[in-house]
Amino acid sequence: MRASGRDRLLQFDLLEETWQRTNFHSLHIGAAVNLERSVRAGAGMDGHFVTGHIDGVGKILRWERSGRDHVLDISAPSNIMRYIVAKGSVAWTESA
């Protein structure tokens, strides 16, 4: 990662696999992307810990409230679905 200029431009190098498995190829200049800081050693952690790489992109089909919870139906490519397990974790982010 490199940052420069008064506009605080950030530049990243993407691996070919990241390019193929994400929606980066469909983004345009000015599109919003999710950036997250890494966890610092010894820092407190809250919530679910998710590690790994992006293996695919899914689509939210249903998002409903159920009391204080949310119920989501998410579709994903069949080559990804074989790795999805009951009570497993799926990381998601909003995109523009």
Side-chain angles (χ1 to χ4, degrees), residues 6-23:
R6 65 180 163 86
D7 293 331
R8 305 184 94 184
L9 175 68
L10 293 175
Q11 297 177 332
F12 298 88
D13 295 321
L14 295 177
L15 297 175
E16 182 65 27
E17 184 173 13
T18 301
W19 186 259
Q20 291 176 7
R21 293 181 179 268
T22 65
N23 66 347

Side-chain angles (χ1 to χ4, degrees), residues 10-45:
L10 293 175
Q11 297 177 332
F12 298 88
D13 295 321
L14 295 177
L15 297 175
E16 182 65 27
E17 184 173 13
T18 301
W19 186 259
Q20 291 176 7
R21 293 181 179 268
T22 65
N23 66 347
F24 275 110
H25 59 274
S26 65
L27 296 177
H28 54 83
I29 293 174
V33 295
N34 184 52
L35 300 176
E36 297 180 7
R37 293 186 169 140
S38 59
V39 176
R40 294 180 189 261
M45 295 185 15

